[in-house]
Amino acid sequence: MTVKTLYEKVWQSHVVKDYDDGTSLLYIDRHLVQEISSPQAFSGLTAQNRQLVRPAAHIAVADHAVPTRNRNMPLAEGLASRLVGRLIENCEQFGIDYISMTDDRHGIVHVIGPELGFTLPGATLVCGDSHTSTHGAFGTISFGIGASECECVFATQTLRQRKQKTMRVTLNGALQPGVSVKDIILALIARIGTNGGVGYAIEYTGPAMATLSMEARMTLCNMSIEAGSRVGMVAPDETTFAYLEGRPLSPEGEAWDAAVAHWRDLGSDPDAVFDAEVELDVSGLAPHVSWGTNPGETSPVSDRVPDPATETDSAKRAKIERSLAYMDLKPGMPLEDIAIDHVFIGSCTNGRLEDMRSAAEVIKGRRIAPTVTAIAVPGSAGVRLQAEAEGLDRVFTDAGFEWRGSGCSMCVAVNDDRLKPGERCASTSNRNFEGRQGQGGRTHLMSPAMAAAAAIAGHLIDVRKLGSSN
Amino acid sequence: MQKFTKITSVAAALREAHVDTDVIFPARFLLLLDKAGLGKHLFHERRQGPDGIKTDFVLNSPPFDKAEILVAGANFGSGSSREQAVWALTDFGIRCVIAPSFGEIFQSNCFKNGALPLVIQGETHERIMRAAEGGNPLTVDLEAQTVELPDGETIGFEIDPYRRHTLMLGLDEIGSILADDADDIATFEARHRSSQPWLFLDDGRLERLFADTRSS
Ligand code: SF4
């Protein structure tokens, strides 16, 4: 038997056929459907009079456009309600289970897939959303696709793909208190660049990796796409199995035992060869924040805003100048001097229970700065309910945060949670692109603990300086 | 799908790296349901100021407002998977983007919509960029795999043979999978079901989970 990586094993077990030109027809086990990328895919089916071949391979939810307030009220008439209405009609017509925004199973696609046990190791899973890389935390080949490819999955249960190259990212050392997996992934992207992973399926491994919870692994894989990689993966282990056991759609009984036995063999063979290797020692890592307009424009929070004048490459200098102009930052100013107007804690990157706990720990017994508006948006109703059971909602509201219903919210500003032009936000989401959180809005990416600290201080700050609140 | 064989057009030069799909097609327009007409929101924030007044962005001024080719910097189309970015480009009239590298999902979306994302790097890319800035037409010939510059220079390019084939024929990929590969898919599916049966949710678990919403 040839030596293989995790990615290659899962790939191999899903190849329907290899074509002469080096592409393969890949079988897709599961598909998460949302309102933004699906209407054109469904209308494509209808226009060509095609069938949706396996309704049981899909679950649908509206997460991007739904409001996070007043959830029991019907959606106000408008574009968002038309879009959600279209998804409901399509699901009825094609026989797909749809989760409504008032349902306790509701949430962001990438949060509820794992919660439901829909995401499983060794599977192929797609969604018309680039952060589908999240599910790779389970040893799943999962990747974001466009609407045309969603239509292809509906109609054929396959996609014609070319196998990716493989990259191993080895995380050495151990994280210090106050530093989180978000800092690891931001530091990694700053190092390899936002296109450093293009063409590769990344596998995360190493001593620091093994101790990470499933939620932390999801944060890591989630942002693989910000390094350009459609696929980020972690080999399934006991942590994975413990997370999945008993989930609503996880295998049960004998099927569970057979599945776990299969999943144990998925890890990369010890002498498997990767096309690229990256090592990162996380021991000395400080909390990171972004200062520019892509996730690679990130620095340790103790640094200063870079000075484009010191950059010798003219294209890079132009990019920094453009970023600083958009972000309205002065070269050389300490990052900690950047005052913020908004704080957003949520998204498929950092909207899970551990994220809510970590932010709550920082704000407990404190008040947010009077100049700041802050919202905490759980990634799913499941996260919200569990957080409420632990009293976290009170911690947030006592500190001056608003506590919201589940959805993408201010990660992408397709609903009514948006920044106004010129406003500045400390955000736990994944993208600081121009206008991402609202036209003219300015985003600084960071971990939940760092965003919570910024809410209290009113400016960017190393959470470790705040000290314990109690 | 519209075929792509050869186009001759002025090329708009966008000398900027990492232009993401949020910039190409801002998120708030994702609420629109139709593909047609999205061109008016292409690069929306770049093309008009907050006051609604047109900027000096390259696509705003003749002859580049009719450009069918865009020459961009590295990592064009990174970020969100929104196919709306490609629909907006093609609706605007742009059929070919030339850049040193692309976001992968964007690149793949182009091929599904009769648009050619052409990877050309280094000094060659710079020569094309300068030619574009000069305002004279270029020719992109997919059959010959060449870009012809206004001064007569001909530059060859590499492209995935399958992708070239589908673009040149305007091939309906879904149609051809259904026509040619249906038996292979059925055979694979049967085998897959017996080796990893837990991956198939038509065994009652999905029904149990959604019993409440299915009956209503
Ligand atoms: S939370 Fe943000 S990144 Fe995640 S799916 Fe929603 S919009 Fe996309």
Side-chain angles (χ1 to χ4, degrees), chain A residues 13-17 19 21 23 25 27 29-30 36-37 39-40 48 50 54-59 65 79-80 82-83 86 97-99 103 105 116 118 120-123 128-130 144-149 151-152 155-160 162 164 194-195 197-200 225-226 228-230 248-252 255 258-259 262-263 293-294 319 322 412-414 418 431 433-436 439-440, chain B residues 15-23 26-35 38 44-46 48-50 74-76 78-84 87 101-109 112-113 160-163 165-166 171-178 180-189 191-193 195-214 216:
Chain A
S13 68
H14 287 82
V15 172
V16 173
K17 66 192 284 187
Y19 299 99
D21 57 19
T23 61
L25 192 63
Y27 190 82
D29 295 314
R30 291 177 181 192
I36 300 278
S37 52
Q40 297 84 358
Q48 301 286 332
R50 285 175 181 148
R54 265 191 56 206
H58 316 264
I59 289 181
L79 292 175
R82 261 178 54 203
L83 199 62
R86 181 70 71 89
D97 287 301
Y98 167 75
I99 301 174
D103 195 307
R105 295 161 293 207
L116 295 175
F118 187 72
L120 291 182
D129 189 286
S130 60
I145 56 178
S148 297
E149 289 175 312
E151 184 184 342
C152 188
T156 72
Q157 209 59 45
T158 64
L159 287 171
R160 191 165 176 158
R162 194 173 279 279
Q164 305 284 92
T194 50
N195 51 357
V198 170
Y200 292 98
I225 185 67
E226 307 313 331
S229 289
R230 285 174 95 168
L249 296 175
S250 289
E252 295 168 328
H262 177 85
W263 298 340
T293 58
N294 72 49
K319 172 69 183 101
R322 183 168 177 100
V412 66
V414 173
R418 4 183 121 155
R431 286 186 174 143
F433 297 154
E434 290 178 21
R436 174 76 180 185
Q439 188 177 7
Chain B
R15 217 178 244 288
E16 191 181 325
H18 308 291
V19 173
D20 55 75
T21 52
D22 274 79
V23 168
R28 64 185 185 284
F29 304 114
L30 293 174
L31 295 174
L32 301 169
L33 277 161
D34 296 311
K35 293 184 192 179
L38 297 185
H44 190 277
E45 263 71 292
R46 295 295 182 86
Q48 61 175 63
N75 205 22
F76 186 82
S78 52
S80 159
S81 61
R82 61 190 70 164
E83 200 160 319
Q84 283 85 348
W87 298 332
S101 61
F102 289 93
E104 275 184 84
I105 308 177
F106 173 84
Q107 191 175 21
S108 145
N109 287 340
K112 313 287 181 202
N113 291 280
D160 183 308
Y162 171 67
R163 254 87 191 255
H165 174 77
T166 54
L171 201 73
D172 164 19
E173 189 179 62
I174 300 175
S176 57
I177 294 174
L178 289 172
D180 304 337
D181 303 323
D183 292 346
D184 290 317
I185 296 172
T187 309
F188 175 88
E189 198 170 88
R191 200 175 67 223
H192 193 47
R193 193 186 277 271
S195 68
Q196 296 187 61
W198 54 85
L199 292 177
F200 290 78
L201 286 172
D202 38 15
D203 63 351
R205 268 169 305 161
L206 205 56
E207 209 178 323
R208 238 189 301 147
L209 177 61
F210 292 109
D212 55 336
T213 46
R214 282 191 183 190
S216 65

Side-chain angles (χ1 to χ4, degrees), chain A residues 69-84:
Chain A
R69 280 179 286 214
N70 304 326
R71 287 288 272 264
N72 290 317
M73 313 259 288
L75 282 177
E77 204 59 50
L79 292 175
S81 77
R82 261 178 54 203
L83 199 62
V84 175

Side-chain angles (χ1 to χ4, degrees), chain A residues 64 108-110 129 131 347-348 408 411-412 430 436:
Chain A
H64 284 59
I108 304 169
V109 272
H110 311 309
D129 189 286
H131 291 98
S347 87
C348 60
C408 295
C411 171
V412 66
N430 42 47
R436 174 76 180 185

Side-chain angles (χ1 to χ4, degrees), chain A residues 356-420:
Chain A
M356 296 297 150
R357 285 184 185 147
S358 127
E361 200 176 311
V362 174
I363 58 174
K364 190 166 190 182
R366 294 184 160 122
R367 284 288 301 176
I368 62 173
T371 49
V372 168
T373 307
I375 60 174
V377 185
S380 71
V383 170
R384 180 175 59 77
L385 293 169
Q386 180 57 34
E388 288 172 2
E390 296 178 13
L392 301 184
D393 56 324
R394 289 296 305 275
V395 174
F396 280 105
T397 52
D398 287 350
F401 271 77
E402 281 182 51
W403 178 249
R404 298 287 188 85
S406 52
C408 295
S409 180
M410 207 186 265
C411 171
V412 66
V414 173
N415 71 353
D416 57 350
D417 301 326
R418 4 183 121 155
L419 298 178
K420 293 192 196 66

